[in-house]
Amino acid sequence: MKIVSNFNELITNSQTLDGYLRSQVDPEYDFALNLIKKGTCFVAVGVSGAYKFYPSRFIGYADNSMDAHLNNVEKDGKETNPAISKILGAKPLINSILNQEYARYCEALGFVPRDKGAFGTERKFWVIEK
């Protein structure tokens, strides 16, 4: 799959995930929840003091969807993270405040997050304020 190359592609993918969550229709809803549960690196988008979190392994591929993601056997944050960093002009960072916001977001979605991301790794975040 093609890696994202601009900000609009990131936003399009975040809107796709938002749509899955808003619909609350499976299998897309469950797919989106699992991405958020298992993620390690997230683009945190802040709007009016609240944050939504988008996993880099999903939003880092252009025109992504549930079907495209599930059929992408080569998906890897080692590809998507540098592309997102280039677009946003920063690397993802460990951030205890955003980690707390992530926990709040997860609880609002109906689940308690794991203490750490996949493979016991500390979560990292890029931040976009709208």
Side-chain angles (χ1 to χ4, degrees), residues 72-121:
N72 181 4
V73 295
E74 297 178 4
K75 60 186 166 275
D76 192 335
K78 291 177 184 160
E79 281 188 327
T80 58
N81 289 356
I84 295 169
S85 291
K86 183 176 179 182
I87 291 166
L88 298 180
K91 291 185 178 186
L93 300 173
I94 295 170
N95 182 315
S96 61
I97 293 169
L98 283 175
N99 205 44
Q100 290 171 355
E101 292 295 328
Y102 168 79
R104 257 188 229 130
Y105 182 65
C106 292
E107 289 166 11
L109 292 172
F111 67 92
V112 176
R114 301 174 186 174
D115 288 336
K116 296 190 178 185
F119 311 109
T121 305

Side-chain angles (χ1 to χ4, degrees), residues 8-22 52 54 58-59 64 130:
N8 287 337
E9 289 175 330
L10 288 175
I11 297 305
T12 297
N13 287 338
S14 69
Q15 291 169 341
T16 298
L17 271 187
D18 285 343
Y20 294 163
L21 293 171
R22 232 183 352 267
K52 292 183 178 183
Y54 303 98
F58 182 83
I59 68 165
N64 213 350
K130 286 190 172 183

